[in-house]
Amino acid sequence: MSRIGFKTIEVPDSVTVTKEGDNITVKGPKGELTRHFDPKIKFEQKDGEITVSRSSESDKALHGTSRANLANMIEGVVNGYKKTLKLIGVGYRAQAQGSKLTLNVGYSHPVVLTAPEGVTVKTPSATDVEVEGISKQDVGQFAAEIRAVRSPEPYKGKGIRYTDENVRRKEGKTGK
């Protein structure tokens, strides 16, 4: 059984955490995040640490999830989150202009994606895409949308993949 919910969350000096009703706002050097939490979960802040508790034994999953979400918010406003994707294939390239990302990945038309607010997209090279932001959920969701445009296929390995992703290759047909 997981004990994530019982771990305390360290709050750095540069971060302020305020609670208004069921909403918690976290302000830090990189920005500000607000999230609604279930009223069954209680948060107590003292001496630079936050303790998360639940009202009943049936809220175990909600307990751990709420604690992880708050810890991710604090981590995001202090350090931020970053996902890096790589385009693999002949002629595959990406170009970022402001919040728009244009992908040429073998379709008859370029695919244009717009980054959500708070997420920045960079293309250090024509085949690399960096997605950065303070919200772990927004960064991960937009990176997944980019990858879904052309998922890596197992035979030639072409497609868009995370840099740390390992694509299992399959053997092709064998001729007689």
Side-chain angles (χ1 to χ4, degrees):
M1 175 166 76
S2 177
R3 301 275 186 212
I4 298 288
F6 293 111
K7 287 183 165 182
T8 59
I9 303 169
E10 300 270 337
V11 181
D13 295 333
S14 60
V15 176
T16 58
V17 180
T18 56
K19 184 175 181 186
E20 294 176 17
D22 294 333
N23 294 330
I24 292 183
T25 303
V26 179
K27 292 181 188 174
K30 289 197 176 252
E32 176 180 338
L33 290 172
T34 301
R35 186 181 192 110
H36 176 79
F37 286 92
D38 196 287
K40 298 175 189 171
I41 304 299
K42 305 290 180 231
F43 298 93
E44 282 185 43
Q45 182 176 4
K46 56 183 159 188
D47 299 332
E49 288 186 339
I50 296 177
T51 309
V52 183
S53 60
R54 59 181 182 246
S55 57
S56 69
E57 201 61 25
S58 63
D59 300 325
K60 284 183 181 180
L62 194 60
H63 184 207
T65 303
S66 299
R67 186 246 174 238
N69 285 338
L70 183 58
N72 288 340
M73 288 170 65
I74 292 171
E75 176 73 20
V77 297
V78 173
N79 300 324
Y81 288 100
K82 179 178 175 180
K83 292 262 187 187
T84 309
L85 296 105
K86 189 147 192 73
L87 283 68
I88 297 173
V90 177
Y92 286 15
R93 63 186 184 276
Q95 183 180 13
Q97 294 174 335
S99 66
K100 295 217 183 280
L101 177 68
T102 306
L103 298 170
N104 293 314
V105 286
Y107 295 122
S108 60
H109 59 284
V111 178
V112 179
L113 299 171
T114 305
E117 194 171 324
V119 175
T120 59
V121 182
K122 297 177 190 170
T123 50
S125 71
T127 58
D128 292 331
V129 178
E130 292 180 353
V131 182
E132 296 179 354
I134 60 173
S135 172
K136 186 174 187 176
Q137 181 176 350
D138 292 344
V139 168
Q141 179 65 39
F142 189 61
E145 288 171 11
I146 294 170
R147 184 183 179 277
V149 170
R150 179 73 83 174
S151 298
E153 56 97 15
Y155 294 102
K156 291 186 179 177
K158 292 168 52 172
I160 303 172
R161 65 174 78 170
Y162 299 111
T163 53
D164 58 351
E165 182 179 7
N166 186 16
V167 176
R168 293 187 66 193
R169 301 289 298 271
K170 290 184 178 177
E171 188 177 326
K173 289 184 182 177
T174 57
K176 288 190 177 187

